[in-house]
Amino acid sequence: MAAITSDRAVKNSGVAHGDVLLAFANAAYAAESEADPTLAVAREAVRSAVGDDGFVDACAVVGNFQRMVRIADGTGIPLDGVVSAMTQDIREELGIESYPSAENSSEASPAARAAGRALRPVMMTAFRWMGRRDR
Amino acid sequence: MLYFDYTASSASVSDELVAVHRAFWENLANPGSWWTGAERVAIAAETRRARACSLCRKRREGLSPASVQGEHDHLGALGPAAVDAVHRISTDPGRLTRAWYEQTLAAGLTDAQYVELLSVLVFVISIDNFNRALGVPLEPLPEARAGGPSRYRPKTARMDGAYVPMIPASDATGAEADLWNKNQTANVIRALSLVPDAVRMLKKLSSAHYIPFEEVVNPRFRRHLDRSQIELIAGRVSVLNECFY
């Protein structure tokens, strides 16, 4: 999970070619145009790592989330209740609670936070399993 | 004109992606619920223009967007409230506020116009970002078609914690029955529901770019990337945009 906010954490994330994919996401976000040299290097690294079809998938996911973040922040939607309860601690750990758009969501109740903490090891195991199972 | 042939790409783009991009370009050119085809294409053009706006650049670098005053570098086809909305959402979405949204309505946009403007903008951004990441030029915008907007507003939409009215999770019924199954939705799907056609297009684009909505809870869903790889990219793009949701 920490790999989402930290490039250094990706080595322990269990995500295949995570470092290459993160570099690509970073470069695609920052690029002024399709000819950006950093993006060009990242593009070739992704293609080498996951193949052309995986590379196209990566481009599509970048596009998708450049859309979704603006829907969320443009409409001010709060976190859905279940998600809020299960991720309060994770969000604090990742530093996401400091984002300005955090004000659109209310804090989870103590009971909900406790339930989220209890379920967190299950979630982490599931994420690791996802990464290994599908390789 | 045939859009999105992707012959400039050295990697093959799936038929699914090509089809949905063409479907949106067709949709973009047509009158919508609250904007004409010409206005919708103007919103798309302004979305692209916003990337080069010097006011937006200064605001992004400032401690607060409100601390930098000035005029946007714009194309002149939209009113000032619409221009500001396009530029702010495009270039600095993480610092949008309820107060700014309310000022946008006070400046002349209706809530439904805002939602449709937002939908056009984000759909264009997603396709443009795909092209840029892929390494191909942006697609030329389509020629707008004549006709007036439908002015359709779903009766069940109401305020429910967001800035904009949304159809309740339990109320996608009647003409909106296709949007989602009862209570099987998420706020990010409901967010555009004041303009139901926007939700329909969102579902198509998300299904092709990411994961079909009904598969979101399936940890084993994969494309050529596995689910963990998909979510790593998704999470990083969200963090870079400082998106809390």
Side-chain angles (χ1 to χ4, degrees):
Chain A
M1 195 70 75
I4 288 171
T5 54
S6 164
D7 288 353
R8 278 181 296 178
V10 73
K11 283 194 176 77
N12 298 323
S13 67
V15 179
H17 307 295
D19 53 345
V20 170
L21 293 173
L22 283 184
F24 179 69
N26 293 343
Y29 171 82
E32 295 282 337
S33 79
E34 75 274 12
D36 181 275
T38 303
L39 176 56
V41 169
R43 202 180 276 138
E44 289 313 307
V46 170
R47 292 177 76 168
S48 294
V50 300
D52 279 0
D53 291 336
F55 161 65
V56 173
D57 281 358
C59 296
V61 175
V62 167
N64 194 79
F65 282 84
Q66 289 281 46
R67 167 176 10 98
M68 300 311 282
V69 300
R70 286 167 174 82
I71 292 175
D73 289 344
T75 58
I77 48 170
L79 278 183
D80 301 81
V82 170
V83 172
S84 179
M86 289 190 62
T87 61
Q88 179 97 39
D89 289 351
I90 295 172
R91 297 194 312 267
E92 286 170 1
E93 195 175 307
L94 295 177
I96 295 171
E97 289 286 328
S98 65
Y99 292 168
S101 51
E103 70 179 29
N104 296 329
S105 297
S106 49
E107 240 183 67
S109 68
R113 287 181 72 146
R117 274 195 294 271
L119 282 168
R120 185 174 165 181
V122 177
M123 282 171 57
M124 298 313 296
T125 302
F127 281 128
R128 285 193 200 98
W129 173 81
M130 273 163 31
R132 289 190 200 118
R133 175 73 172 79
D134 294 325
R135 242 174 269 150
Chain B
M1 180 176 175
L2 184 66
Y3 293 106
F4 300 106
D5 66 3
Y6 287 115
T7 50
S9 170
S10 53
S12 177
V13 178
S14 69
D15 292 344
E16 185 186 11
L17 280 165
V18 171
V20 78
H21 291 176
R22 285 181 180 157
F24 173 62
W25 238 231
E26 181 87 9
N27 173 275
L28 173 62
N30 288 334
S33 301
W34 300 97
W35 299 93
T36 65
E39 288 167 332
R40 287 164 61 84
V41 174
I43 290 166
E46 197 63 50
T47 298
R48 290 178 169 178
R49 176 70 173 189
R51 287 175 59 85
C53 174
S54 55
L55 176 64
C56 288
R57 194 178 299 267
K58 286 178 196 153
R59 281 181 166 171
R60 282 206 66 172
E61 292 163 1
L63 275 178
S64 147
S67 65
V68 181
Q69 298 301 314
E71 197 175 321
H72 291 289
D73 300 327
H74 65 95
L75 295 169
L78 297 169
V83 167
D84 188 60
V86 169
H87 282 233
R88 285 291 307 273
I89 299 166
S90 296
T91 67
D92 200 6
R95 295 195 297 176
L96 298 171
T97 62
R98 184 180 292 273
W100 168 81
Y101 167 74
E102 287 169 353
Q103 285 162 17
T104 300
L105 297 197
L109 287 189
T110 67
D111 52 8
Q113 284 177 321
Y114 176 87
V115 171
E116 184 170 333
L117 175 151
L118 171 64
S119 74
V120 168
L121 178 166
V122 298
F123 297 156
V124 168
I125 281 180
S126 66
I127 293 172
D128 282 359
N129 268 268
F130 173 79
N131 277 25
R132 194 173 297 118
L134 191 67
V136 302
L138 303 187
E139 200 69 21
L141 293 173
E143 290 289 322
R145 296 198 184 89
S150 68
R151 301 196 184 286
Y152 179 75
R153 185 184 181 100
K155 293 186 176 62
T156 55
R158 60 174 172 82
M159 296 302 290
D160 188 17
Y163 304 161
V164 301
M166 301 188 291
I167 295 174
S170 58
D171 271 352
T173 56
E176 281 77 60
D178 62 313
L179 296 188
W180 57 78
N181 293 329
K182 186 174 176 178
N183 290 321
Q184 292 175 25
T185 187
N187 287 344
V188 76
I189 303 297
R190 295 172 59 216
L192 301 179
S193 59
L194 187 59
V195 180
D197 281 347
V199 177
R200 294 181 179 104
M201 183 54 65
L202 173 65
K203 288 171 62 178
K204 289 178 187 168
L205 282 165
S206 293
S207 182
H209 273 240
Y210 174 56
I211 297 173
F213 185 67
E214 59 274 11
E215 295 285 354
V216 167
V217 294
N218 177 5
R220 295 173 65 180
F221 178 89
R222 64 170 300 142
R223 293 185 177 274
H224 301 282
L225 296 181
D226 67 36
R227 187 69 190 266
S228 67
Q229 292 172 315
I230 290 169
E231 296 303 335
L232 184 67
I233 298 168
R236 177 51 64 93
V237 172
S238 302
V239 161
L240 289 167
N241 281 285
E242 293 197 348
C243 180
F244 180 76
Y245 186 91

